[in-house]
Amino acid sequence: MPDHDYEDLIRIFNQCFEVDYNTRLVRGDDEPIYLPADAERSYHAIYFAYGFYSSGLHEIAHWLIAGPQRRLLEDFGYWYEPDGRSAAQQAAFELVEVKPQATEWILADAAGFRFRVSSDNLNGEATDNTAFKQAVYQQVGAYIQQGLPERTARLREALCQFYATPVSLCYSRFDPATL
């Protein structure tokens, strides 16, 4: 299993997107956030939590999903209710997390990194996330069948090259039992 240094992830992401998209991956503190360029910072910044590799992959996945207009909005203009969500709030959270977590899993696979689905609600109402896990798995299959979006494919290829993992995207490498 390769070593997963967040600085490698920063370097790989920035090499892929800093010039074409004026976007940088940045080690943050406690809360991840996406901030578009403004008068004080000339570039768009994806801040991920505490230098955690998995947080970096997750925040990148949100950026990869966001279209051009959303990339001009703080945190892509999405609603976010922090940990402590009710069952209804958790269901809404899971609906918008399927594509980012499927994208994160695809990137983790390219990096040889263990992916774990995140319900991100440790202090909230207990819910069964089985359907959420299945939806993430099915979305991975849809991406493989339809082809990855251009930016996702670009980063995935760079991760495969850096970590010497298989370039071919094969559904059999994704096991829903590991989620």
Side-chain angles (χ1 to χ4, degrees):
M1 186 81 130
D3 186 32
H4 291 92
D5 186 331
Y6 74 85
E7 297 211 3
D8 293 329
L9 185 60
I10 290 172
R11 188 172 36 263
I12 293 164
F13 179 90
N14 292 350
Q15 286 172 350
C16 287
F17 302 113
E18 187 171 7
V19 172
D20 293 347
Y21 291 91
N22 191 33
T23 303
R24 296 180 194 170
L25 183 63
V26 181
R27 181 194 184 276
D29 293 320
D30 58 343
E31 288 297 322
I33 190 166
Y34 172 77
L35 298 174
D38 59 20
E40 297 169 17
R41 190 189 50 267
S42 63
Y43 57 90
H44 309 296
I46 304 168
Y47 291 93
F48 65 101
Y50 296 115
F52 293 139
Y53 196 90
S54 58
S55 177
L57 287 178
H58 185 77
E59 297 311 312
I60 288 168
H62 277 287
W63 181 81
L64 291 169
I65 298 295
Q69 295 305 314
R70 287 219 179 253
R71 292 193 307 268
L72 298 176
L73 304 172
E74 183 175 319
D75 259 353
F76 313 109
Y78 290 123
W79 157 89
Y80 179 75
E81 186 72 33
D83 189 353
R85 292 183 288 275
S86 68
Q89 291 169 324
Q90 184 63 21
F93 169 84
E94 289 176 358
L95 279 175
V96 299
E97 278 290 312
V98 170
K99 285 185 177 183
Q101 292 204 27
T103 300
E104 178 186 351
W105 195 3
I106 288 168
L107 297 176
D109 175 69
F113 187 75
R114 170 88 160 78
F115 171 77
R116 289 179 176 86
V117 72
S118 174
S119 295
D120 192 31
N121 198 30
L122 298 174
N123 297 311
E125 191 174 332
T127 59
D128 180 1
N129 69 355
T130 304
F132 176 54
K133 290 177 179 181
Q134 187 60 34
V136 170
Y137 176 67
Q138 288 174 341
Q139 183 61 51
V140 167
Y143 280 140
I144 291 170
Q145 184 177 32
Q146 298 163 4
L148 296 176
E150 185 275 328
R151 290 179 298 136
T152 303
R154 181 191 301 188
L155 182 57
R156 185 184 174 283
E157 185 176 310
L159 289 168
C160 288
Q161 183 175 12
F162 184 84
Y163 290 104
T165 57
V167 175
S168 63
L169 189 54
C170 181
Y171 200 40
S172 64
R173 286 204 313 268
F174 297 87
D175 181 0
T178 65
L179 296 175

